[in-house]
Structure formats: C-alpha cells, structure tokens
Amino acid sequence: MSTSESKPDPIHDDREPDLEDEEEDDEDDDEEEEEQLPPRDPTRMQNLMRRMQNGETVSLRVHDVIIKGNTKTKDSLIEAELEPLKSATSMKELLDAARDVNFKLQALDAFDSVNITLDAGPMELPGTANVIVNVVETASPLSGQLGAYTKAEARSSTFEASLKYKNLFGYGDMWDGAFAYGCDHSAELSAGVYLPRFKRFVTPVTARAFLQSQDWEKFSSYKERSLGISLGLFSTKYHDVSYSLAWRTLTDPSQMSSRSIRRQLGHGLLSSLKYTFKFDQRNSSLRPTKGYAFASTTQIGGLAPDSNSLRFLRQEIDLRYVLPLGFYRAALNFGISGGVIFPWGTGYMNKPAPLTERFFLGGNISPISTLCGPTSLWGFKTRGLGPTEPRRQVNNENVDSSEVDFLGGDLAATAFVDLSFDLPFKFLREKGIHGHVFACAGNVAKLTQNEYRNFSSRTFLESCRTSVGAGVVLPTSLFRMEVNYCKILNKAEHDKGKTGFWFTFSAPS
C-alpha cells in the first residue's frame, strides 16, 4: 500500500509543473502578440474620417505597413509599390495613395483580389495609422487563348494561339508562348517574359525571342524570315525604349523580282534601338469624340560592327485632334502622319534604304485608332501605291508581264478628316454602332541614291492619292470594325485602289 500510495505523488508532482509551464508559455505568447499588435482604439479612425469629411485637413503619417496573404509573391515586389503610402502626410493623401497602390497591385496580374485597410496606429503615437495590405494570389496562373484576328500590318485574317503562366518565380513575372498563322502563309512563333520590376529598374522589362516569316511575293516579289530577340528596356506612361536584334533573310522563290528587289535579297542583321514618345489625351481610341494625341518614334539601326548590319535612321510622327460638335455625339477627327528614312555609313548617299524598313501605304486598317506612322489609306490595298518597278520578263504565257513590284518609299505622308455621328436608332446607339464620312490623302516618294535632287514638294502634293467615303463603324472591346464605301479620286497607273465596299479592322496601337 505504501508503494502504491507513494506512486501518485510523484506523478502529480510531475504534471503540475507541466501545466504551470504551459500556462507560462501561453502567457508569454499572449505577451508577444500584444507586443506585435499595438493597442488600438477603433473610434480614433472614425473620428479622423469625420474630421476629413467636414473639410478639415487631417495630418497623418503611416506608422507601419503589414502585408498578408502572399505565399508565393516576394515581399519586395509588393513593398516596391507601397512607397506612396509611406510618404503620405495627411488622411486625404493616404486615401489617394491607397487607391493608386491598389490599382498598381491589381495591374501586376498576380492577384485575384487586393484589399487595403487603414487602421489607427498605436495609442501612444497619435496622428499615425497602420496600413494592412491583404492580397489573394491568383488561383489559376496558367491561361490560354485561341482566336482569329486581323492586325494592323496583316493583309488577311490570322489564327493565333497563346499560353501564359503568371508569377512563376514570385516576382510578378509573366511567361508566355504564342503562335500565329495567316491565310497569306505568314507565320510567327515567339516566347517571352515580362517583369514589372527587375533589380534597380523602376519600369517594366520585357524580353522576347521570335521566329517570323512574312510572304510579300504578291506585292514585292520576296519572302522575309527573321530570327531574333527584342528587349523592352524602359517603359513609362509616355516613353518607351526598346532594342531589337534579328537575323533577316530575304528570298525570291518565283525568280521574277525586279532589279531593285534582287539587290536587296540575301542576309541582313538588324540591330536597332527605338524610342517612342506617345501622349494620348483622347477620351477613346476606338471612337474619339474629344481630345488630342501625339506620337513620335525614332529608330536607329546598325548598332553592330558587322558588314551585313542594316544602317538607317528612321523617324515617324502622328498628330490627332478631335473637335466635338455638340449634337448626336458628332465629332470631327483630324489626323496627320509622316515619316522619313535615310541610310547612314560610308557611301550612304549612293545606298538605298533597307527594303524592310521603308514606308508602304494602304491596307485594311483605319487611321482613327492607330498611332503607328503613315501606313493606312482608305480605298487602297496593302502596299498598293508608291514607287514601282517592272518584274523580270520571262517567256511564259501563264505569267502576266505587266506585273510590277512595289518598292516602298523613303518619305511618306498621310492626312485625313473624319466626321463621326450617332445613327437615329436607339438599339444601334446602345451598342456603340455609329456612322462616319471621311476623306484622306497620302503619298510616298524615294529620296535615297541621290533621288532627293529630283524631289519637288509641289509634285509630291499634286500626285497625292485621295479618296472619300462613308460607312458604319462597329466598335468592340478589342478592335474597331468599319464597313465603308470608298470612292477613289486620284491614283497612279499601277496603284491598287478601287471604288467600292471595304471592310477594315483596327486594334488600338
């Protein structure tokens, strides 16, 4: 009995210290939590909000920023976007900064939701606030897309497929692969990555590798193949700097190209730096009814010590102005675009500009939505006007000996005026479908190989191709579609322009 009675005592003695230790540990944890979470008074933030609503300037600074919910995304990526919060000095500035930060975090495309909460700071630090950023990372990082589209440079519809993976390494990085194939046998295979922040770069950085094939046999008797990479070095709201490195090969499978085209065949290395400044204050790029826009693109090629390097200087400008008329949402759109290209290097005065970098006008695109230099002219086919040269003559009855190659130009200019207005049907107005009437003019000319000596501005203006027309516009969230009737007023002998109905498709540039 004595043994049996003596057993419970040590057991009891052992258990009691354990319970006391657990209670002490719980108390320590509670004390740590109390240290991490400073005491708050929920009425303080309400009082601050009430004072601000009454028009009073409420001085406030951020005491702490707490990030929650990110398991994969790096803290450094989120913290980089939170700097405006830390610099706020008043309640109004803090609310505005929180709104901007929320938008920037959503733009990273790495989160399904972003919630920013403002809470009162520690009681011993009046005039402070804590900011709690709660994010929910995307549940489906992998996405794909299939579709048929018409791009600005395309001459027919293209089938496109793409696959994207978001936030693979937690830096907001987006990886994608894409494939496109056109009914005109053009094809492109590419893969790239987008980084919203890269080391000390404060703007997004992009990199892309591509293999591209273009078939220009119908217009200029050559095929183009390019293999290379492009890097987006600097990008802000108004400025963009990019670098391209590509190995290009021009071939003539038909063996019928003109002499000027044959001289451009073979291999070439494109190593170019491009700077774009774009300022667009229009209320819409698909149907602008007020505002203005300006774009300037400067490109220099030949940044490689190679004999095959394409050396050129290229400049483009675009100017748009929209005048609202005040009835039926009517607006007058005015637009002017211009561009010039010159080779540089030893003997540049006697050299032609690279064929692939020259200006070609025409195509099934609308100048309303695009800001990409002088490219479009209503009523003319792709590469349907400008300097031409007869193709090689062959003794073949099945070949039209009157065919010519369009060579493009070193100087190009286009202008248009467009009047848009609502149609008198409520259903159409609700869908955004509206009418427009327009007039446009444009021309291209050769300046290289001493041709500038023969250039006359008067002759250039008198030989401008012109057209007028009217149509119906069907804007969508992705592109602008027009069904137009165009009448050609002036064209040259070999121009490919016609009076009749045209369909145009344009995505905002």
Side-chain angles (χ1 to χ4, degrees):
M1 291 293 298
S2 61
T3 305
S4 62
E5 292 176 358
S6 62
K7 288 180 179 179
D9 292 333
I11 295 176
H12 178 74
D13 293 338
D14 290 341
R15 285 178 180 176
E16 187 123 44
D18 287 342
L19 291 172
E20 291 176 0
D21 290 340
E22 289 178 3
E23 291 176 0
E24 290 176 3
D25 290 341
D26 291 343
E27 291 176 1
D28 292 342
D29 291 341
D30 292 338
E31 290 177 358
E32 291 178 2
E33 290 180 4
E34 289 177 1
E35 292 176 0
Q36 294 176 359
L37 299 176
R40 301 182 181 90
D41 183 0
T43 61
R44 290 173 56 201
M45 187 59 66
Q46 297 176 3
N47 293 335
L48 293 177
M49 291 292 296
R50 190 178 300 110
R51 289 170 56 192
M52 189 190 73
Q53 292 174 355
N54 292 333
E56 183 179 349
T57 300
V58 181
S59 298
L60 192 69
R61 64 178 180 86
V62 174
H63 171 259
D64 193 14
V65 178
I66 303 169
I67 303 173
K68 296 182 178 181
N70 59 315
T71 57
K72 187 177 184 179
T73 307
K74 307 298 182 183
D75 285 345
S76 58
L77 177 67
I78 301 176
E79 289 172 354
E81 305 294 346
L82 302 181
E83 289 301 321
L85 292 173
K86 300 176 182 178
S87 60
T89 58
S90 67
M91 173 67 81
K92 185 179 185 304
E93 289 182 7
L94 184 58
L95 292 175
D96 292 340
R99 190 182 304 109
D100 293 340
V101 168
N102 193 305
F103 176 79
K104 290 180 180 179
L105 291 177
Q106 292 279 10
L108 294 176
D109 210 15
F111 310 112
D112 285 337
S113 67
V114 177
N115 185 25
I116 299 179
T117 304
L118 306 182
D119 202 353
M123 296 183 64
E124 63 273 14
L125 296 175
T128 63
N130 291 331
V131 180
I132 303 172
V133 181
N134 207 323
V135 298
V136 178
E137 294 178 329
T138 180
S140 303
L142 185 65
S143 62
Q145 189 174 11
L146 294 173
Y149 308 94
T150 299
K151 292 187 176 179
E153 298 83 0
R155 299 164 305 287
S156 61
S157 297
T158 60
F159 171 79
E160 299 183 13
S162 63
L163 193 65
K164 296 182 180 180
Y165 197 95
K166 306 173 185 176
N167 208 21
L168 179 61
F169 295 109
Y171 293 98
D173 48 311
M174 181 179 294
W175 301 78
D176 75 283
F179 172 76
Y181 183 80
C183 298
D184 55 353
H185 308 296
S186 63
E188 180 178 358
L189 180 65
S190 63
V193 60
Y194 167 85
L195 292 171
R197 287 185 178 269
F198 179 69
K199 292 187 176 180
R200 295 185 179 181
F201 286 86
V202 296
T203 62
V205 175
T206 61
R208 191 162 203 85
F210 60 87
L211 174 62
Q212 187 180 57
S213 176
Q214 292 272 4
D215 186 353
W216 301 107
E217 278 193 279
K218 183 178 178 181
F219 311 99
S220 304
S221 298
Y222 74 91
K223 285 187 176 181
E224 175 188 352
R225 176 173 293 180
S226 300
L227 174 64
I229 60 172
S230 61
L231 302 175
L233 304 177
F234 180 82
S235 181
T236 63
K237 184 177 181 181
Y238 303 120
H239 306 276
D240 186 86
V241 179
S242 62
Y243 172 77
S244 297
L245 179 66
W247 183 254
R248 286 182 175 175
T249 303
L250 304 185
T251 60
D252 174 23
S254 67
Q255 300 295 313
M256 291 185 57
S257 60
S258 61
R259 181 177 299 180
S260 296
I261 297 294
R262 290 199 300 272
R263 290 176 177 174
Q264 295 271 334
L265 299 179
H267 301 293
L269 178 65
L270 174 67
S271 175
S272 70
L273 190 67
K274 181 188 290 187
Y275 166 70
T276 300
F277 171 79
K278 182 160 63 174
F279 186 78
D280 194 345
Q281 294 297 306
R282 296 175 296 176
N283 60 340
S284 171
S285 57
L286 294 175
R287 186 192 177 181
T289 56
K290 63 179 180 179
Y292 54 93
F294 174 78
S296 171
T297 301
T298 304
Q299 184 179 8
I300 178 172
L303 305 179
D306 190 279
S307 59
N308 292 312
S309 183
L310 305 178
R311 294 181 171 89
F312 63 91
L313 294 170
R314 196 173 195 266
Q315 177 65 48
E316 302 172 5
I317 59 169
D318 291 276
L319 180 63
R320 302 287 186 269
Y321 180 76
V322 188
L323 177 65
L325 300 182
F327 58 91
Y328 293 107
R329 291 192 65 202
L332 272 173
N333 279 266
F334 301 92
I336 299 175
S337 299
V340 63
I341 181 173
F342 265 104
W344 66 272
T346 305
Y348 73 95
M349 296 290 291
N350 299 316
K351 291 182 179 180
L355 176 62
T356 54
E357 304 300 328
R358 298 176 191 170
F359 294 97
F360 294 88
L361 297 186
N364 57 340
I365 57 176
S366 170
I368 302 293
S369 301
T370 56
L371 291 171
C372 53
T375 55
S376 58
L377 209 61
W378 279 299
F380 290 85
K381 294 183 179 180
T382 300
R383 296 196 175 195
L385 60 97
T388 61
E389 190 173 298
R391 292 179 179 177
R392 176 184 291 177
Q393 301 296 317
V394 294
N395 296 323
N396 190 338
E397 296 180 354
N398 297 325
V399 177
D400 187 357
S401 59
S402 64
E403 287 292 327
V404 297
D405 285 334
F406 287 90
L407 307 179
D410 308 312
L411 174 68
T414 59
F416 74 89
V417 58
D418 178 277
L419 172 63
S420 62
F421 50 88
D422 279 342
L423 295 173
F425 300 101
K426 183 179 179 181
F427 171 78
L428 298 178
R429 290 197 300 270
E430 291 176 348
K431 298 296 182 181
I433 301 173
H434 60 280
H436 75 140
V437 294
F438 55 83
C440 65
N443 204 355
V444 290
K446 184 177 180 179
L447 299 178
T448 55
Q449 295 178 302
N450 295 313
E451 285 293 328
Y452 69 91
R453 298 175 179 174
N454 303 322
F455 177 79
S456 168
S457 57
R458 180 177 179 180
T459 303
F460 184 79
L461 293 175
E462 289 177 349
S463 61
C464 274
R465 282 65 163 179
T466 55
S467 66
V468 295
V472 177
V473 182
L474 296 84
T476 69
S477 58
L478 299 177
F479 59 88
R480 170 189 171 107
M481 174 182 173
E482 298 178 8
V483 182
N484 298 323
Y485 180 84
C486 301
K487 180 175 177 57
I488 305 299
L489 300 182
N490 185 33
K491 70 174 184 176
E493 178 183 358
H494 297 291
D495 290 349
K496 295 186 180 300
K498 68 172 185 177
T499 296
F501 286 96
W502 289 78
F503 289 87
T504 66
F505 301 86
S506 304
S509 60

